[in-house]
């Protein structure tokens, strides 16, 4: 009976966490602010305790889980409607570097040292800080960088070139299986796909790990590799 009770409480916990996640919204996953991060950990911890709770204790944990979820949702709604509340809950963006000047006080406010800042710049592709015009620490902890104009890559607009707008690719083959619905949404069928594969020298669908296709019918094929790739980065 203990096993059955534990299984049922765990199932109820999953349902409750799923409902709370839907209530809070996808921002909890995509743009974790400090407040969202702490609440996510807390709600997860309460859910873990709830899954093994018994009797009266079970309902106490469930109430705590619901309260945390509802309060987080209410603050999220309030933040969307009020700039002042948003600044309190999510915080403000902090300028760390601008026009060749590093703002030491802002680094202290952000609890970040120069070595961590340089690491984040390198992760964004900037190994030389002289190539950075402005660096801003966003409220979710990421650093946004505006490069110096003379060092940024040239764009078609800079070169006065007219280019067609690119669109997202759809997966038409995944792990050796044809994604019929995606293919239909693009306006193509299996016959067309197999003809395109034959042109590229790929006759067996099961040998293809991934194939993508654009709206204008450009097919890109990634066949399976028979051998393990040798690591040269160690």
């Amino acid at each position: 009976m203990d096993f059955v009770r534990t299984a049922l409480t765990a199932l109820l916990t999953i349902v409750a966490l799923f409902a709370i996640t839907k209530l809070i919204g996808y921002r909890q996953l995509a743009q974790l602010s400090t407040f969202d991060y702490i609440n996510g950990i807390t709600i997860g911890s309460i859910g873990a305790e709830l899954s093994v709770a018994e009797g009266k204790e079970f309902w106490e944990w469930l109430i705590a889980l619901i309260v945390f979820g509802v309060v987080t949702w209410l603050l999220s709604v309030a933040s969307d409607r009020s700039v002042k509340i948003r600044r309190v809950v999510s915080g403000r963006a902090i300028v760390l570097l601008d026009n060749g000047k590093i703002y030491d006080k802002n680094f202290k406010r952000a609890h970040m040292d120069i070595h961590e800042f340089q690491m984040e710049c390198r992760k964004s592709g900037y190994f030389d800080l002289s190539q950075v015009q402005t660096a801003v620490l966003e409220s979710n902890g990421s650093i946004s960088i505006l490069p110096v104009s003379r060092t940024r890559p040239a764009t078609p607009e800079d070169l006065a070139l007219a280019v067609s707008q690119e669109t997202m690719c759809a997966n038409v083959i995944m792990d050796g299986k044809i994604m019929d619905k995606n293919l239909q949404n693009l306006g193509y069928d299996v016959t067309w796909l197999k003809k395109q594969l034959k042109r590229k020298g790929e006759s067996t669908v099961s040998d293809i790990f991934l194939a993508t296709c654009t709206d204008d019918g450009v097919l890109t094929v990634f066949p399976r590799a028979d051998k393990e790739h040798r690591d040269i980065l160690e």
Side-chain angles (χ1 to χ4, degrees):
M1 292 299 295
D2 291 339
F3 174 78
V4 174
R5 182 167 55 249
T6 301
L8 290 175
T9 54
L11 180 60
L12 181 59
T13 301
I14 293 173
V15 173
L17 286 174
F18 180 80
I20 289 173
T21 303
K22 288 292 186 180
L23 179 68
I24 294 173
Y26 293 104
R27 186 170 59 181
Q28 178 80 358
L29 301 175
Q31 299 175 348
L32 285 175
S33 65
T34 303
F35 181 76
D36 291 333
Y37 178 73
I38 293 173
N39 272 322
I41 293 176
T42 305
I43 291 173
S45 299
I46 294 175
E49 293 290 343
L50 175 62
S51 63
V52 294
E54 297 181 7
K56 182 180 178 181
E57 183 183 1
F58 168 79
W59 295 108
E60 291 173 350
W61 282 111
L62 180 60
I63 292 172
L65 183 65
I66 293 173
V67 169
F68 258 92
V70 171
V71 170
T72 302
W73 174 73
L74 289 174
L75 285 174
S76 176
V77 173
S79 297
D80 291 338
R81 297 182 179 181
S82 172
V83 175
K84 292 182 179 179
I85 295 177
R86 187 185 311 138
R87 289 174 178 173
V88 172
V89 174
S90 301
R92 297 186 180 187
I94 301 175
V95 177
L96 301 176
L97 182 151
D98 183 56
N99 198 26
K101 296 181 181 180
I102 293 178
Y103 293 89
D104 183 55
K105 290 185 178 180
N106 288 359
F107 269 85
K108 293 178 180 178
R109 282 179 55 199
H111 302 286
M112 176 180 288
D113 58 44
I114 189 64
H115 299 291
E116 186 179 359
F117 173 66
Q118 288 178 308
M119 178 186 69
E120 294 297 327
C121 289
R122 289 193 296 269
K123 286 166 63 176
S124 298
Y126 296 94
F127 287 75
D128 184 356
L129 291 184
S130 65
Q131 298 178 347
V132 177
Q133 174 66 26
T134 305
V136 179
L137 177 65
E138 304 293 354
S139 59
N140 64 354
S142 63
I143 294 181
S144 301
I145 294 177
L146 175 67
V148 175
S149 296
R150 68 175 182 274
T151 63
R152 68 174 176 82
T155 65
E157 185 177 1
D158 295 332
L159 303 176
L161 297 177
V163 295
S164 58
Q165 177 63 49
E166 295 180 353
T167 58
M168 291 183 62
C169 295
N171 297 328
V172 292
I173 298 177
M174 288 187 67
D175 199 17
K177 297 179 180 179
I178 297 176
M179 312 298 290
D180 294 298
K181 189 173 182 180
N182 290 351
L183 198 58
Q184 292 174 4
N185 290 338
L186 290 170
Y188 303 109
D189 55 21
V190 176
T191 303
W192 174 87
L193 178 61
K194 290 183 177 180
K195 287 182 180 179
Q196 296 299 315
L197 292 175
K198 187 173 292 186
R199 290 179 182 177
K200 292 180 176 292
E202 303 288 346
S203 57
T204 307
V205 175
S206 59
D207 291 337
I208 299 173
F209 189 77
L210 176 67
T212 63
C213 184
T214 61
D215 288 339
D216 52 359
V218 178
L219 185 70
T220 305
V221 179
F222 300 89
R224 298 180 187 275
D226 296 331
K227 298 180 180 180
E228 183 180 358
H229 191 281
R230 295 181 62 185
D231 191 357
I232 60 173
L233 300 178
E234 292 183 352

